[in-house]
Amino acid sequence: MPQPEHEQQHRPLPGPATVRSRVRIPLTFGDGYRVEAEAHTFHGLADGAEHLALRLGEVGRTPLVRLHSECLTGDVLGSDRCDCGPQLREAVERIADSGGYLLYLRQEGRGIGLYNKLDAYALQDSGLDTYQANTALGLPEDGRDYTAAAQMLHTLGATGIRLLSNNPDKAAQLTGLGITVAERVPTGVHLSESNVRYLSTKAAGTELTLGHGISVLPVGA
C-alpha cells in the first residue's frame, strides 16, 4: 500500500523500460475539443500492465505531467459518481497548452479493479464512504503503485517534471523513484450532485491515505 508522503523511502527502479511503439492519435472530446497526441507503449514495465504515455504539445525541459488512473465508468461511460472523466478532459487540454505527458495507467478503482470497484459502489450505496467500502471488501484504501509510471518517465527523459495533481502521494512516490517534482500543480474541482460525497472523502483522506488539499463547497455555492 502506498505510504504517506513523509514516510516515502527512496527505492531503486526494478530495471529500465524501453519504448515499444509510437503512434499518432487525434483526440476529440464530447465538447468538441480536439488535439493530436503521440501515444507511447513500453516493454519492461514493472507490473506488466499496458500503460500508455500520451505526448501532448511541445515538450520542454520540465514538462507538465498527469498520472491518470484508468476509470472505465467515468472516462468512457460518463459516470458522475467520480470526477475522473472531467479531470481527464481538463488534463489533456492543460498539458497540450503547456507541453508534456499524460500517463494513462491501468489502475481501475484505485488499483482494485473494475468488478471490485462496482462492489464497492454497492457498499457506498448502503452508507460507507469510498475508503470504508474498499476495506470492507478486504482491499487497500488506495492500492496504486507508481513504479511503472516512474519507469515511463525515465525512459522518456522526463526526470524533472511539474505534476498536475491534487494527490500528494503521487508526488511522494515519484520522488522516491528518482523523479524530481519541481512543482505540484492543482487540478480543478469538478463537483456534481452525484459526486459531492466522493470528493469530500477524497479531500479529507484517512490516517493512511493523505487528503487531496481541495475545498468542496455545496453544489451551487
Side-chain angles (χ1 to χ4, degrees):
M1 180 184 301
Q3 298 172 320
E5 189 167 15
H6 64 281
E7 295 181 7
Q8 284 290 337
Q9 301 295 319
H10 287 273
R11 50 195 173 103
L13 291 176
T18 58
V19 173
R20 174 182 173 275
S21 66
R22 297 181 180 88
V23 61
R24 183 183 66 87
I25 303 179
L27 306 178
T28 302
F29 289 82
D31 61 0
Y33 175 73
R34 298 171 61 91
V35 70
E36 186 169 294
E38 183 182 57
H40 296 67
T41 65
F42 298 85
H43 287 302
L45 296 179
D47 56 9
E50 294 185 331
H51 305 300
L52 290 177
L54 299 181
R55 178 181 174 130
L56 297 156
E58 296 297 322
V59 178
R61 293 182 61 182
T62 310
L64 186 63
V65 171
R66 168 76 180 166
L67 309 186
H68 186 88
S69 296
E70 177 182 58
C71 178
L72 176 71
T73 51
D75 297 343
V76 178
L77 302 179
S79 168
D80 284 337
R81 290 190 69 137
C82 63
D83 60 343
C84 300
Q87 280 197 326
L88 178 62
R89 166 65 181 84
E90 174 197 9
V92 167
E93 183 169 5
R94 291 180 67 177
I95 296 170
D97 288 343
S98 181
Y101 297 97
L102 185 139
L103 273 54
Y104 196 82
L105 306 174
R106 313 302 297 275
Q107 300 183 124
E108 183 81 44
R110 295 196 182 111
I112 66 173
L114 178 60
Y115 280 14
N116 283 329
K117 183 177 82 170
L118 296 177
D119 291 343
Y121 278 179
L123 292 176
Q124 291 166 38
D125 289 341
S126 70
L128 300 184
D129 68 31
T130 53
Y131 299 123
Q132 292 167 345
N134 280 16
T135 57
L137 292 169
L139 300 168
E141 291 177 349
D142 188 335
R144 291 174 292 183
D145 180 280
Y146 298 109
T147 301
Q151 287 180 290
M152 295 159 76
L153 292 172
H154 277 283
T155 298
L156 295 168
T159 54
I161 67 169
R162 298 163 59 232
L163 182 65
L164 183 60
S165 179
N166 297 322
N167 185 350
D169 184 57
K170 290 181 179 179
Q173 287 201 45
L174 289 179
T175 298
L177 290 158
I179 301 296
T180 299
V181 179
E183 180 185 6
R184 184 158 59 87
V185 181
T187 69
V189 179
H190 304 281
L191 185 65
S192 72
E193 294 282 357
S194 300
N195 71 18
V196 62
R197 187 163 182 253
Y198 164 84
L199 286 178
S200 297
T201 301
K202 181 191 285 190
T206 70
E207 290 184 4
L208 295 176
T209 305
L210 296 172
H212 285 213
I214 58 176
S215 296
V216 180
L217 299 175
V219 175

